[in-house]
Amino acid sequence: MSAATTARPAQQSADVPVRKADARLHRGVGRWFVLALAGLFALGMLAPFVIMAMNAFKSAADYSQNGPLSLPTEIYTTGLVNFWTRTNFPVKLFNSILISGLVAVFGTLLSLVTAYAIGIGRIKGRVWIVAVFLIANMLPQEAIIYPLFTMANAVGLSNSQWSVIIIFTVIQSAFGIYLLSSVMGTFPVELLEAAALDGAGRFRILWSVVYPILRPTLGVLMVFFFIWTWNEFFIPLVMLTSNDTQTVPIALASLQGDRMMDAPTTNAGALVSLLPALVFFLIFQRTLTRGVTAGSVK
Amino acid sequence: MASTQLSATRRRRATWVPYLPYLIPGVIAFVLVIGYPLVMNIYYSLFKWKGGLAPMRWYGLGNYADLMADEAFWTSFRNSISMVVAMVIVPALVGLVLAAVLFDYLGRRFGPKVASVLRATYYLPQILPVAVAGVVWNWILNAQDGAVNVLLTNLGVADPPDWLGSPQLAMPSVMLVLIWVQIGYPVVIFMAALQRVDPELYEAAELDGAGWWARLRAITLPQIKPETFVVALTCTVAALKVFAPVYVLTRGGPEGTTLVPSYYSFLNFFDKSKVGYGAAIATVLTIVIIVVAGVILRFQGRAERREQEGR
C-alpha cells in the first residue's frame, strides 16, 4: 500500500518513457488471465469457509437428503442451537475472552518492563538474555507441560483459567521482549537525557517518555497476543479439564466424534468458533498487517 | 592508568545496575514458568514413572536408549520432514510467486485495492484457530459424507478414497490442509518485503529489457533475503512443533502414518501414562529444534556478513 503511494509522485515527475510504460501496463489480455488465476486461487482458499457456511444452517434431514454440496432449502438454526447449548457456549466464549484479554494486557506489560531494562538500561549480558528469551519462545510446549501440570496441581491452580493465563503471559512476552528491546535499543538518547536532566526518575521516564512513544507498537503486540492466545490449543487442552473452564477451540475439538454431532452441528459450531477471531481480525486488520511486518525486518 | 580504567568501568556499571529491578519480574516469571519446568522435564526423562503419585523408578538414560529402538519414534521424526515440506518449503515458494504477482504484476495493473483484497483472502486461514480449521477439514475430507467425496461421487467416481483413513493418503491430506493454513503468512511477509525494494531498481532493469523472471531472480530474491530467513526460521520451528492439526485430523493415525513427535510425546504423557518416556521424546524434540534454529541463524549470519563484505 505504501509503495503505491510513494511510487506515484516518482511516476508523475518522470517524463515520457515511464508514462509510456505505464500506459502499456493497462493494455493486453494477459493481465486478465493472471487476475483470473489469482482469483481462482483465492476462491480455492475460500471454498472451505463457503462449504462450512452452506451447511451450518441446514436441518439434519436436509443434509442427509441433499448432501453437503447443496444450498440449504430453508434456514435452520437447529445445529447452531444444538452446539450452543451442548457446549454451554457463552461460558466458553467468556473463558476465551478472559484468558486472551488478560494475557494480552499482562504480556504486554511484562514485555515493556523487561525490555526497558534490556533496551534502555543496557543491562550487562543483554545479548545473552535476549537469546534465552528467544529460545524460550521456540521451545515445544511438550517439554514444559508435565511439570507445569504438576506445579498447577501443587498450588491449587489445577483446572483453573489462571494457570493458563500465567503460562501464556510468560510465553507470549518472550516475543514481546525480543521485539521491544530491539526497538528501545534504537531510542534517541538525547530524549532520555533531557528527561533525566529535568529530574525524572527511571520510572517516570518509562511511563511519561518511553510508553507514549511506544504506544502503537504496544497496540500491535496486544492484538498479536490476543489472537495467538485465542488460537492456542495444546496447553489449554491439557490444563483445562472441565466444561466450565475450557476455551472455544477445545470445546469444538472435544465434541468431535460425538454421536450427537451431526454435520450441521459441527459446521455451526465451527462457524461460531471462528467468528470472534474473524471480527477481531477485521477490526484490527490495519494494525495487524503493520504488526506482521514489524518483527520481520531486523 | 589502571585506576582510571577501573573508575570508568565502575561508572559504566553504575549506569545499568539501577535498571536491574525492571528485569527481575521477567526473570522470575521465566524461571518459574519455563526454566524450572524444562529442567524438571529432563529430570523426569531419567525415570520410569506412571505420573501422579505413582513411584518414580530411576532408569538413567534408558528411556533414550528405548527411543533409539522405537520404530514409532523414528516415524514421527520422518513425518516432521513432511511437515517442513508442507509448512515451510511449499508455502514459501508459492507465497513468493503469489506475493510477486500481487505486488509487481496485478498491483500495478489493477491497482493496490485488488492486490490487498487478494492478500487478505490468502491470509484468512491464518487467523482462525487451527483446531477449528482442522475440525472443518476433518468433515470435508470425511470418507462417507465429506464434501470432497460427495463431489467426486457426483462426478461419477465409483469408489472415492478415504482421505484421512488410508495409510497412503492420510499424510498427503494432512499436508494439503497445512499448506492451506500456512500459505498466507509468507504472502504477507514477502509483500511487505517487496515494498521495501527500491522501485527504481525494477524500472532500470525493465528499461534494460529484463523480463519478469529475470527481475525476480536478479532483484527480488537477493533484496528480500532477510524476510526469507525470518519465514524459514519461524515456519520450520512451527513445523517441528505442530500438534493441533494432527490431533483434530488424524490423531496420528492410521497406523501411525501421521504421527509427529509432539503428538507422540502427548500420547505417552496423558494416554499411555509413560511420563518418563514422553519427557524423553519432548527433550529430544527440544534439542532438534534448537539445533535446527541454530543452523538457520548461522546461515543468516553468514549471508549478512557476505553482503557487508560485498559492499
Side-chain angles (χ1 to χ4, degrees):
Chain A
M1 254 177 273
S2 76
T5 47
T6 51
R8 202 160 294 142
Q11 280 179 357
Q12 277 166 356
S13 63
D15 37 42
V16 197
V18 177
R19 209 174 295 151
K20 207 181 271 172
D22 212 37
R24 199 199 57 209
L25 289 177
H26 293 281
R27 267 188 266 125
V29 239
R31 66 195 182 112
W32 292 104
F33 181 68
V34 176
L35 182 70
L37 274 183
L40 265 181
F41 195 84
L43 278 185
M45 296 293 286
L46 283 178
F49 294 103
V50 175
I51 297 178
M52 179 181 62
M54 263 164 51
N55 289 284
F57 300 106
K58 278 182 192 167
S59 69
D62 183 6
Y63 179 80
S64 59
Q65 205 166 37
N66 300 319
L69 294 175
S70 66
L71 285 169
T73 47
E74 252 178 280
I75 300 291
Y76 278 92
T77 50
T78 330
L80 196 66
V81 173
N82 220 345
F83 177 78
W84 193 275
T85 49
R86 276 183 60 88
T87 57
N88 204 351
F89 196 72
V91 173
K92 315 286 172 173
L93 201 61
F94 172 79
N95 287 335
S96 273
I97 292 172
L98 176 81
I99 292 174
S100 310
L102 287 180
V103 167
V105 174
F106 293 155
T108 309
L109 259 178
L110 187 65
S111 307
L112 176 68
V113 172
T114 315
Y116 183 57
I118 297 172
I120 293 198
R122 306 203 148 257
I123 294 277
K124 207 175 172 192
R126 59 185 175 278
V127 178
W128 290 104
I129 297 174
V130 171
V132 169
F133 284 136
L134 261 187
I135 291 176
N137 196 243
M138 289 192 294
L139 286 181
Q141 294 173 345
E142 289 76 15
I144 53 173
I145 190 67
Y146 210 89
L148 284 175
F149 185 68
T150 322
M151 287 161 77
N153 281 339
V155 296
L157 284 179
S158 64
N159 191 23
S160 152
Q161 294 95 326
W162 285 102
S163 62
V164 177
I165 292 169
I166 294 169
I167 294 168
F168 280 121
T169 295
V170 178
I171 291 181
Q172 310 294 30
S173 70
F175 174 80
I177 291 166
Y178 163 68
L179 182 73
L180 288 182
S181 49
S182 68
V183 172
M184 287 192 209
T186 63
F187 236 64
V189 187
E190 304 79 35
L191 204 65
L192 301 170
E193 278 171 357
L197 279 180
D198 287 344
R202 270 171 293 276
F203 189 73
R204 271 294 303 279
I205 292 180
L206 174 60
W207 282 118
S208 36
V209 181
V210 176
Y211 169 71
I213 294 179
L214 283 181
R215 227 165 46 200
T217 316
L218 297 178
V220 172
L221 266 189
M222 278 180 71
V223 175
F224 261 50
F225 290 174
F226 188 93
I227 292 191
W228 287 348
T229 311
W230 187 280
N231 292 352
E232 276 290 343
F233 186 71
F234 180 69
I235 287 182
L237 176 75
V238 173
M239 302 298 278
L240 306 173
T241 47
S242 75
N243 265 325
D244 54 327
T245 53
Q246 279 170 352
T247 59
V248 171
I250 312 294
L252 183 66
S254 62
L255 274 188
Q256 211 187 10
D258 195 313
R259 289 227 157 260
M260 293 297 290
M261 284 287 278
D262 53 7
T265 313
T266 307
N267 282 295
L271 192 66
V272 290
S273 299
L274 67 83
L275 273 184
L278 189 67
V279 169
F280 202 75
F281 174 72
L282 291 177
I283 294 173
F284 291 101
Q285 201 212 7
R286 275 166 175 273
T287 336
L288 251 183
T289 33
R290 233 181 296 143
V292 175
T293 58
S296 70
V297 187
K298 294 208 313 168
Chain B
M1 212 174 123
S3 72
T4 57
Q5 218 167 16
L6 194 71
S7 74
T9 54
R10 192 171 293 154
R11 211 181 309 134
R12 213 176 301 139
R13 185 176 303 148
T15 61
W16 64 263
V17 165
Y19 285 93
L20 274 178
Y22 293 88
L23 194 67
I24 287 169
V27 167
I28 292 176
F30 269 83
V31 168
L32 271 182
V33 173
I34 292 172
Y36 174 75
L38 190 63
V39 173
M40 282 310 284
N41 185 70
I42 297 173
Y43 175 74
Y44 291 165
S45 76
L46 306 175
F47 289 86
K48 277 200 166 197
W49 183 31
K50 286 191 179 302
L53 296 172
M56 295 174 79
R57 278 183 300 141
W58 176 257
Y59 197 37
L61 293 175
N63 281 323
Y64 295 92
D66 293 350
L67 278 183
M68 294 301 121
D70 183 353
E71 194 48 48
F73 170 77
W74 291 106
T75 308
S76 73
F77 272 95
R78 259 197 307 278
N79 288 340
S80 281
I81 298 172
S82 307
M83 296 298 163
V84 170
V85 171
M87 290 179 70
V88 190
I89 296 173
V90 174
L93 292 178
V94 178
L96 178 67
V97 173
L98 284 175
V101 166
L102 288 192
F103 180 81
D104 185 39
Y105 192 92
L106 291 178
R108 282 164 66 188
R109 281 164 180 80
F110 293 94
K113 260 268 156 57
V114 173
S116 74
V117 165
L118 285 170
R119 179 184 62 181
T121 313
Y122 300 154
Y123 193 71
L124 205 54
Q126 277 274 304
I127 55 150
L128 64 138
V130 70
V132 176
V135 168
V136 172
W137 273 104
N138 188 315
W139 165 75
I140 290 178
L141 295 172
N142 185 304
Q144 280 87 43
D145 63 350
V148 171
N149 277 3
V150 170
L151 182 70
L152 286 178
T153 319
N154 290 353
L155 290 175
V157 179
D159 189 20
D162 186 354
W163 299 101
L164 293 169
S166 96
Q168 288 81 38
L169 284 175
M171 185 49 110
S173 306
V174 170
M175 288 171 74
L176 191 83
V177 174
L178 287 172
I179 292 170
W180 177 79
V181 168
Q182 199 70 8
I183 213 138
Y185 176 68
V187 170
V188 166
I189 298 258
F190 286 145
M191 277 188 79
L194 291 171
Q195 304 190 338
R196 212 165 38 80
V197 181
D198 187 355
E200 282 178 21
L201 278 178
Y202 287 106
E203 280 161 24
E206 215 170 342
L207 288 179
D208 286 345
W212 186 79
W213 179 245
R215 274 176 286 150
L216 182 76
R217 277 191 50 195
I219 303 172
T220 312
L221 285 183
Q223 289 280 326
I224 65 168
K225 220 181 240 166
E227 283 83 355
T228 313
F229 275 113
V230 170
V231 168
L233 179 66
T234 51
C235 293
T236 307
V237 171
L240 293 172
K241 292 193 332 190
V242 70
F243 176 85
V246 172
Y247 182 90
V248 289
L249 282 172
T250 61
R251 309 260 157 137
E255 294 161 36
T257 45
T258 57
L259 193 67
V260 288
S262 64
Y263 188 75
Y264 193 38
S265 141
F266 169 83
L267 212 57
N268 277 291
F269 276 139
F270 300 105
D271 204 52
K272 300 182 175 173
S273 292
K274 290 167 76 178
V275 175
Y277 201 60
I281 299 166
T283 307
V284 172
L285 178 60
T286 308
I287 294 168
V288 168
I289 287 176
I290 290 177
V291 168
V292 168
V295 168
I296 295 175
L297 286 171
R298 185 145 242 169
F299 270 114
Q300 182 177 19
R302 204 188 289 165
E304 272 169 17
R305 263 200 307 281
R306 209 181 296 142
E307 203 157 286
Q308 269 156 10
E309 281 162 15
R311 260 176 212 161

